[in-house]
Amino acid sequence: MSIEERVRAVRARIDAAARAAGRDPGEITLCAATKVQTSDAIRQAIAAGVPVCGENRVQEMTAHLADDAYAGARLHFIGHLQTNKVRQVVGKADLIQSVDSLHLLRAIEGQADKLGIIQDILLEVNIAGEASKGGFPPEEVLSAALQAAALDHVRLRGLMAIPPPVDVPEKNRPFFAAMRQLFVDIRREIDDNVSDIDCLSMGMSDDFEEAVAQGATLVRVGTALFGPRPPRTGTAE
Ligand SMILES: *Cc1c(COP(=O)(O)O)cnc(C)c1O
């Protein structure tokens, strides 16, 4: 299948999952997880209708930006971001989905202040409590959200999670449901900018339909759009 055919097939599956859950398919954004892809593959996905690209690595993002590979789409950063690389991402990514510590939150606020901009962010939640993953523990999300909402150069847009890989998508249902509840909770608590808190980013190639059923407003899909990735050595994704 071509990338174009895969994009159409994934979009159709998102729409069907939304309708089955009694949701409007228009509420759900498809974000292409573009790690290791070429600029050409990214352009094909955008030409096929992908509205958002999500990048994991600063280096790849910088190279694709220089190539103008994201033209026609919005750009999200979805990987672990080291504070010493914040300068390369703030103001370049429309949304930083993967804010996984207060330290990083403050670094983003500082850089956005310097640039005189407001940076949209999501807080990443370690919803399954995995030792190998970053992100806020669920019980710290509300406090982090209140701190984010109090900053002048950061706009909190919602939450993101990467539950464990599963053989059966239903296994992640409790994690998706817990994310949905956290999302509802922060919207209720932070009522001064509730209209901004509109993004619940969860679901990947193996489980995005389940995530849509549980309330995702954005799914991040790589393999199902681009095919299997070659194994990569070095730093974890
Ligand atoms: C790679 C990646 C995805 C997509 O993974 P697939 O299983 O290939 O769909 C989604 N989110 C993040 C943060 C990723 O790194």
Side-chain angles (χ1 to χ4, degrees):
M1 269 207 281
S2 67
I3 290 176
E4 185 187 351
E5 288 168 320
R6 287 203 184 97
V7 168
R8 259 193 263 128
V10 166
R11 188 64 240 187
R13 286 171 58 192
I14 293 169
D15 295 355
R19 285 195 204 95
R23 301 183 60 199
D24 174 1
E27 289 172 14
I28 298 127
T29 301
L30 170 59
C31 168
T34 51
K35 57 177 172 268
V36 314
Q37 303 304 329
T38 61
S39 290
D40 191 48
I42 292 170
R43 287 192 191 98
Q44 285 178 48
I46 295 168
V50 162
V52 178
C53 292
E55 278 296 348
N56 279 74
R57 288 185 162 193
V58 174
Q59 205 180 335
E60 287 179 38
M61 190 183 101
T62 304
H64 289 315
L65 278 171
D67 244 5
D68 206 19
Y70 308 117
R74 296 190 297 284
L75 175 59
H76 290 184
F77 193 79
I78 63 175
H80 175 63
L81 180 57
Q82 292 164 277
T83 48
N84 64 357
K85 293 191 178 160
V86 151
R87 254 179 302 125
Q88 296 166 72
V89 177
V90 171
K92 302 230 165 65
D94 299 294
L95 177 67
I96 302 175
Q97 294 198 13
S98 41
V99 178
D100 54 8
S101 70
L102 293 176
H103 182 57
L104 177 59
L105 178 68
R106 287 189 205 102
I108 292 170
E109 164 70 17
Q111 179 62 17
D113 185 6
K114 222 180 264 174
L115 296 176
I117 62 163
I118 295 175
Q119 176 67 58
D120 281 358
I121 63 139
L122 304 182
L123 296 178
E124 181 174 344
V125 184
N126 189 350
I127 194 65
E130 295 170 274
S132 61
K133 277 184 193 152
F136 293 93
E139 63 276 14
E140 290 174 18
V141 169
L142 181 55
S143 156
L146 288 166
Q147 293 183 62
L151 297 173
D152 288 335
H153 300 90
V154 158
R155 178 162 44 218
L156 178 65
R157 300 296 302 270
L159 303 176
M160 177 267 217
I162 314 172
V166 283
D167 45 358
V168 191
E170 288 75 23
K171 284 189 186 164
N172 272 337
R173 185 178 300 165
F175 297 130
F176 292 143
M179 284 298 297
R180 163 80 197 170
Q181 190 57 52
L182 283 172
F183 185 63
V184 168
D185 289 347
I186 66 163
R187 287 184 64 140
R188 195 182 45 230
E189 291 296 325
I190 308 175
D191 53 7
D192 62 330
N193 68 343
V194 69
S195 57
D196 291 335
I197 302 178
D198 58 0
C199 187
L200 180 56
S201 170
M202 58 187 192
M204 317 203 321
S205 290
D206 288 337
D207 56 15
F208 66 83
E209 285 145 314
E210 188 62 44
V212 167
Q214 297 303 321
T217 69
L218 181 145
V219 295
R220 308 175 311 267
V221 181
T223 311
L225 296 180
F226 298 107
R229 285 181 294 274
R232 184 153 69 175
T233 50
T235 351
E237 288 170 350

